[in-house]
Amino acid sequence: EVQLVESGGGLVQPGGSLRLSCAASGFTVSNNYMSWVRQAPGKGLEWVSIIYSGGSTYYADSVRGRFTSSRDISKNTLYLQMNSLRAEDTAVYYCLPGYYSDRWGQGTLVIVSS
Amino acid sequence: EIVMTQSPATLSVSPGERATLSCRASHSLSSHLAWYQQKPGQAPRLLIYGASTRATGIPARFSGSGSGTEFTLTISSLQSEDFAVYYCQQYNNWRYTFGQGTKLEIK
């Protein structure tokens, strides 16, 4: 059974950093495209980034240069390193296999506030 | 970037009636479009991919149609559990953008 468990969210000050993790089971992260999608409180869904099976990464304009997606093959885990965080990055962050998916984790909440 | 525009923003429909939700893309997507349903406090649920293919376990009352730049999600006979927010998402271009959502509410 495919499962995704996001973690690493929390409260961080503007300008700070966080690293989100997405532990996967039931499939191999490195063999799949893996996306991050976020949702600000009371707002819609926003695609954030994708890492292709070959390792190429792409980012939304709103996070490019500040966020980095990576993976650890040995841990079958996806990461999102978030630097220079802004208030507008406050959101629930989800990871999912592919660029659309019927498998979503529960999400992890990031709050950027002083 | 492909801009996805959903209409209407809010749709009020009575249970048992049909609901029709629209999604328009700023550039052609072929059939690379997905629809999601989201309820409060829950992750999105994939309903449709490839513009018209129902995801596993999705009831037949949900149907998707369209290609190019115009897409429609139809719910043929609304059940109480269908009142939620619906999003379309394009995956034709690597910026896998979402529409802003349509809230389907009980009339």
Side-chain angles (χ1 to χ4, degrees):
Chain A
E1 180 187 4
V2 170
Q3 286 196 327
L4 298 141
V5 179
E6 300 96 337
S7 62
L11 175 63
V12 61
Q13 292 189 339
S17 297
L18 275 179
R19 188 179 80 159
L20 306 184
S21 300
C22 170
S25 58
F27 72 102
T28 302
V29 165
S30 60
N31 291 344
N32 286 269
Y33 301 177
M34 294 294 298
S35 296
W36 288 97
V37 171
R38 69 183 179 183
Q39 187 169 34
K43 302 298 184 182
L45 300 169
E46 180 186 15
W47 174 79
V48 173
S49 73
I50 192 166
I51 182 167
Y52 290 142
S53 51
S56 300
T57 52
Y58 293 88
Y59 302 93
D61 292 345
S62 57
V63 307
R64 187 178 302 115
R66 301 187 297 122
F67 289 12
T68 302
S69 181
S70 63
R71 58 198 181 189
D72 185 324
I73 295 173
S74 66
K75 295 182 179 179
N76 206 34
T77 297
L78 176 73
Y79 300 102
L80 186 67
Q81 177 67 43
M82 305 187 296
N83 299 329
S84 303
L85 283 161
R86 307 167 180 168
E88 55 265 35
D89 296 319
T90 293
V92 174
Y93 286 74
Y94 297 98
C95 66
L96 55 148
Y99 27 73
Y100 68 86
S101 181
D102 61 353
R103 294 289 184 263
W104 291 60
Q106 84 289 349
T108 187
L109 176 62
V110 172
I111 300 174
V112 184
S113 175
S114 55
Chain B
E1 174 178 318
I2 297 177
V3 177
M4 306 300 293
T5 304
Q6 292 185 240
S7 62
T10 302
L11 182 62
S12 299
V13 184
S14 300
E17 294 189 341
R18 174 189 297 259
T20 302
L21 289 69
S22 296
C23 176
R24 173 176 293 177
S26 60
H27 297 79
S28 179
L29 306 180
S30 182
S31 295
H32 299 143
L33 184 101
W35 287 96
Y36 292 92
Q37 175 194 70
Q38 189 179 33
K39 298 179 180 179
Q42 296 183 14
R45 174 193 183 195
L46 179 68
L47 299 174
I48 301 284
Y49 62 93
S52 61
T53 302
R54 276 190 302 277
T56 302
I58 301 303
R61 65 180 181 272
F62 291 91
S63 63
S65 62
S67 65
T69 62
E70 300 283 345
F71 300 88
T72 300
L73 175 70
T74 302
I75 311 171
S76 60
S77 178
L78 280 165
Q79 307 297 303
S80 57
E81 62 266 29
D82 300 335
F83 292 96
V85 179
Y86 292 82
Y87 295 95
C88 60
Q89 182 200 12
Q90 67 85 15
Y91 53 95
N92 190 67
N93 174 279
W94 63 264
R95 290 183 177 93
Y96 303 110
T97 43
F98 290 88
Q100 81 280 15
T102 290
K103 181 179 181 180
L104 181 57
E105 64 177 27
I106 299 174
K107 186 174 182 180

